[in-house]
Structure formats: structure tokens, C-alpha cells
């Protein structure tokens, strides 16, 4: 697992090289990221996202997601919190539910990057993280699948095992493309009599101006 090595020096929480400007990032990283707020209807919920997953973003996020640079969770969580609070998206949220990985997939990777994001969001907002959504069957990687195949791939892949205590949940994922994963996750929560305050993803893989 990676370790954070730059925050105490006041350096950018993404590249670690230049001094922080805003969002905990330096001017170069801020200008290289493509901030594009969007809201996609995914089944019975709307998913808010804040970035387009351009090449610069993918370079850092894939290091976090696939190559154990887990210290980057702080940088990405700060982006989520800063942009989400601007739009009052945490206002009616009692708990955060990160989209889970299948246990075998998580064992192979060693961590769930969305859970790490959620835990950092908790540290910044005080909103607790609930592990009440489970992925009960393995699915294929989504990025090469068609819209129809994506929906079929994640169909009935989740199960909500929480108690119906009136809490309003925010579903959290890293990327949104077609919304199929978020839609199935929301179905599982609602089927288990959970309540959904909203859904949030860090970035979209499609640009809202050029779908």
C-alpha cells in the first residue's frame, strides 16, 4: 500500500510536487483536471459527478485503483467533498454506502478503492460509512461491454443486508458511464427497504458536452 509523503509540507495532494492552491491541489493539477459537473438519471436515482475522466485524471486514478497508490484517496476524497458541499449534496445524508467489490476480486487487489474514498470522505464530513451493500456474484470488467451487456452483467449482483432504521444513504462510486452499476446497487438498497438520499461518483467516462 502507498503512504502519503507530501501533505505535511503543504504540497499538492495529487502530484506532491507544487504547493497547494485550492481543493488541496496545485495550479498545474487543477488546470489539468477537467471539472465538469453533471447529473445522470440512473434508474430510480440521480448520480452526481464532478470530473470528466480525461487522460490526466486516469493516470493518477489508475495508479490509485490498480497500483496500490492508496494515499491518493485523500486527494480524490477532497475533490468529492469540496465539489459536493458546493452543491449541498451531503445535506440530507445519514450514511455513505460505497459500491462494493466481490470478496474474491477485493482479495486479489488487496483493497476496494471506493471504500477508501468513502473512509476519507467520512474523515472530512463526519458522515459514517456503512458496509451494508454486498456484491454477491462476480461480474466482468465493464469498460469493453455494450450498454445492453453492462446491464446484464451487473443484474442482481448486489444485496442489501442492512436494517431499515430510517437512515438516508448516499451511494458512492468512482466512475459512472452508463449508470448500470449504480442502478443495480440502488435497486438492491430499495428492495431491502433502505432509503436513498442520492448517488455520487467522482468522474464520468463520457463527456456531457460530447456524449
Amino acid at each position: 500500500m502507498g503512504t502519503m509523503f507530501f501533505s505535511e509540507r503543504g504540497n499538492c495532494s495529487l502530484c506532491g510536487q507544487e504547493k497547494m492552491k485550492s481543493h488541496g491541489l496545485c495550479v498545474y493539477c487543477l488546470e489539468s483536471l477537467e471539472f465538469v459537473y453533471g447529473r445522470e438519471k440512473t434508474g430510480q436515482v440521480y448520480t452526481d459527478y464532478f470530473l470528466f475522466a480525461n487522460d490526466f485524471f486516469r493516470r493518477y486514478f489508475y495508479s490509485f485503483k490498480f497500483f496500490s497508490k492508496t494515499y491518493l484517496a485523500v486527494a480524490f476524497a477532497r475533490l468529492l467533498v469540496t465539489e459536493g458541499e458546493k452543491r449541498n449534496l451531503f445535506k440530507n445524508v445519514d450514511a455513505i454506502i460505497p459500491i462494493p467489490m466481490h470478496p474474491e476480486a477485493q482479495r486479489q487487489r488487496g483493497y476496494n478503492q471506493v471504500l477508501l474514498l468513502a473512509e476519507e470522505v467520512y474523515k472530512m464530513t463526519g458522515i459514517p460509512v456503512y458496509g451494508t451493500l454486498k456484491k454477491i456474484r462476480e461480474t466482468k470488467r465493464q469498460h469493453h461491454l455494450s450498454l445492453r451487456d453492462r446491464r446484464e452483467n451487473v443484474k442482481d449482483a448486489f444485496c442489501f443486508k442492512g436494517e431499515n432504521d430510517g437512515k438516508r444513504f448516499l451511494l458512492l462510486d468512482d466512475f459512472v458511464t452508463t449508470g448500470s452499476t449504480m442502478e443495480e446497487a440502488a435497486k438492491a438498497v430499495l428492495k431491502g427497504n433502505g432509503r436513498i438520499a442520492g448517488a455520487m461518483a467522482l468522474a464520468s467516462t463520457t463527456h456531457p458536452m460530447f456524449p
Side-chain angles (χ1 to χ4, degrees), residues 69-121:
K69 305 295 186 185
T70 54
Y71 59 83
L72 292 172
V74 176
F76 292 121
R78 188 175 285 119
L79 286 167
L80 276 169
V81 171
T82 302
E83 294 299 309
E85 286 184 340
K86 279 183 186 177
R87 299 168 176 88
N88 294 317
L89 298 180
F90 297 104
K91 185 176 180 181
N92 297 313
V93 175
D94 298 311
I96 297 168
I97 295 181
I99 298 298
M101 298 174 69
H102 187 272
E104 178 59 23
Q106 184 166 333
R107 185 191 67 78
Q108 291 180 12
R109 184 176 298 173
Y111 59 97
N112 175 1
Q113 75 284 349
V114 183
L115 174 58
L116 296 183
L117 276 177
E119 289 172 344
E120 293 300 330
V121 171

Side-chain angles (χ1 to χ4, degrees), residues 13-14 22-25 30 33-38 46-52 57 61 64 72-91 93 96-99 112-127 129 170-176 182 198-204:
S13 56
L14 197 58
S22 69
H23 294 68
L25 305 180
L30 281 169
L33 291 170
E34 195 166 346
F35 286 86
V36 181
Y37 172 65
Y46 285 90
T47 300
D48 296 278
Y49 61 87
F50 312 108
L51 294 164
F52 169 59
F57 172 84
F61 197 84
F64 166 51
L72 292 172
V74 176
F76 292 121
R78 188 175 285 119
L79 286 167
L80 276 169
V81 171
T82 302
E83 294 299 309
E85 286 184 340
K86 279 183 186 177
R87 299 168 176 88
N88 294 317
L89 298 180
F90 297 104
K91 185 176 180 181
V93 175
I96 297 168
I97 295 181
I99 298 298
N112 175 1
Q113 75 284 349
V114 183
L115 174 58
L116 296 183
L117 276 177
E119 289 172 344
E120 293 300 330
V121 171
Y122 158 69
K123 292 175 186 177
M124 298 173 192
T125 64
I127 301 172
V129 178
L170 175 71
L171 296 173
L172 180 66
D173 206 355
D174 48 8
F175 291 102
V176 60
M182 201 71 88
M200 184 181 294
L202 183 60
S204 173

